[in-house]
Amino acid sequence: MTTRTTINPTLNAYRTGLRRGLSSLRITLTTASDVLGSVLPLALGVGVLLFMRNFGFGESELSLGAMNLPSLIGMNVVFSGVMGILGVLVMDRTNGTLLRAKSVPGGTIGYLIGEVLAVAIITVITTLALLVAGLLLFDGLVFDSPVRWLGFFGVMCLGLAATLPLGAVLGALIENPRNMGLVMLPFMGLVGVSGVFYPITALPAWLQGIGQAFPMYWMGLGMRSTLLPDTMVAVEIGASWRVPEMLLVLSAWTIVGLVLAPRLLSRMARRESGSAVDRRRAELRQDWGG
């Protein structure tokens, strides 16, 4: 008498995704180019803030470097969440990884779960590294109570929830790596209008409105509320950390991303084919003169 074991396809896909995510994480952390690509931009950012440490801000005893560090941490979460998933999807559509995953039952779901998990863990690691470096290098930061600890990790998790689906949406829409600049250029523009390196209140009202429409400003504001002294709230819009509004905007982006991402990713997976991969490879070779 034989016993048949029924395997839940969804559960199996999630298990596959977990294994894939841990494998991708191990590869990333042991590949010099990947580690350098994650560490170098952050090191440059910290270097700039160290230079700014020699300058004060108004009558505050807090240096410009310390004041801008929380915003840099928030920017890192947004950048890693969006560009991490976007870059993986675009490159894996070009090299055929996604097509190979599609050929296995539940492979596409497992692939997506794995890559999202790997990007999320790497983002958490780099964020915590920035936090530790900031607390060691900059005076005046306040991170000495459970309320602030919980606030920091809560903002970080909500930021990941808002940005990872957004990266998946953009990754589903962009087929060719050469078109990633269409995202990068607006992204850098948002850095300039989101109060990352100077108070957003110094900008014209219409630029303030643009900055507040996107997650980057709210991530920076949330991180500032957990790391800066309460006296620094005076330079914010309305002299308030606006925590309810921050939670509302980031939650709204999360919902939009979770609604759009599954539909666009499903359409993307259906359209994957050998001819599409060959076409992308030919375009890439042409771009590089191969």
Side-chain angles (χ1 to χ4, degrees), residues 71 74-76 78-79 163 186-192 194 196 211 213-222 224 250 253:
S71 301
M75 185 186 75
N76 174 67
V78 176
F79 184 86
T163 56
F187 189 96
M188 300 311 296
L190 283 177
V191 173
S194 296
V196 174
F214 295 92
M216 189 178 299
Y217 164 75
W218 297 99
M219 279 299 301
L221 179 66
R224 291 193 293 274
L250 292 180
W253 275 98

Side-chain angles (χ1 to χ4, degrees), residues 51 90 128 160 192 226 237 241:
F51 173 77
V90 172
L128 294 180
L160 285 172
T226 65
I237 295 175
W241 296 124

Side-chain angles (χ1 to χ4, degrees), residues 32-274:
S33 59
D34 289 343
V35 173
L36 188 63
S38 297
V39 172
L40 185 58
L42 299 181
L44 290 174
V46 173
V48 171
L49 295 187
L50 284 174
F51 173 77
M52 297 171 67
R53 186 175 58 176
N54 299 320
F55 301 92
F57 179 77
E59 299 179 357
S60 172
E61 296 182 358
L62 204 66
S63 70
L64 281 174
M67 187 184 75
N68 290 323
L69 177 74
S71 301
L72 180 66
I73 294 176
M75 185 186 75
N76 174 67
V77 174
V78 176
F79 184 86
S80 298
V82 174
M83 299 305 297
I85 292 296
L86 168 62
V88 167
L89 286 175
V90 172
M91 294 307 299
D92 284 354
R93 293 174 76 181
T94 301
N95 62 31
T97 299
L98 186 57
L99 180 62
R100 291 191 293 271
K102 177 184 175 182
S103 64
V104 179
T108 302
I109 296 176
Y111 164 83
L112 293 171
I113 293 172
E115 296 304 332
V116 167
L117 177 63
V119 170
I121 293 176
I122 291 172
T123 303
V124 171
I125 292 174
T126 56
T127 300
L128 294 180
L130 273 175
L131 172 64
V132 173
L135 293 175
L136 292 175
L137 296 174
F138 297 95
D139 296 326
L141 298 175
V142 183
F143 198 62
D144 57 357
S145 69
V147 172
R148 288 183 176 267
W149 304 337
L150 292 174
F152 180 90
F153 288 103
V155 172
M156 179 179 64
C157 291
L158 186 55
L160 285 172
T163 56
L164 288 171
L166 178 58
V169 168
L170 295 173
L173 294 175
I174 297 177
E175 291 191 9
N176 195 303
R178 64 183 176 182
N179 293 330
M180 289 181 63
L182 298 176
V183 176
M184 184 63 72
L185 290 177
F187 189 96
M188 300 311 296
L190 283 177
V191 173
V193 300
S194 296
V196 174
F197 293 110
Y198 48 85
I200 193 173
T201 49
L203 298 175
W206 65 276
L207 284 178
Q208 293 183 32
I210 294 176
Q212 292 176 79
F214 295 92
M216 189 178 299
Y217 164 75
W218 297 99
M219 279 299 301
L221 179 66
M223 290 301 179
R224 291 193 293 274
S225 71
T226 65
L227 287 170
L228 295 184
D230 291 335
T231 54
M232 294 305 299
V233 75
V235 302
E236 302 292 345
I237 295 175
S240 170
W241 296 124
R242 298 196 290 168
V243 174
E245 291 91 335
M246 181 265 295
L247 296 176
L248 181 62
V249 173
L250 292 180
S251 297
W253 275 98
T254 300
I255 293 171
V256 170
L258 291 176
V259 170
L260 293 179
R263 298 179 182 180
L264 293 175
L265 290 171
S266 177
R267 187 187 69 173
M268 175 193 72
R270 288 196 304 268
R271 293 182 175 182
E272 285 302 295
S273 63

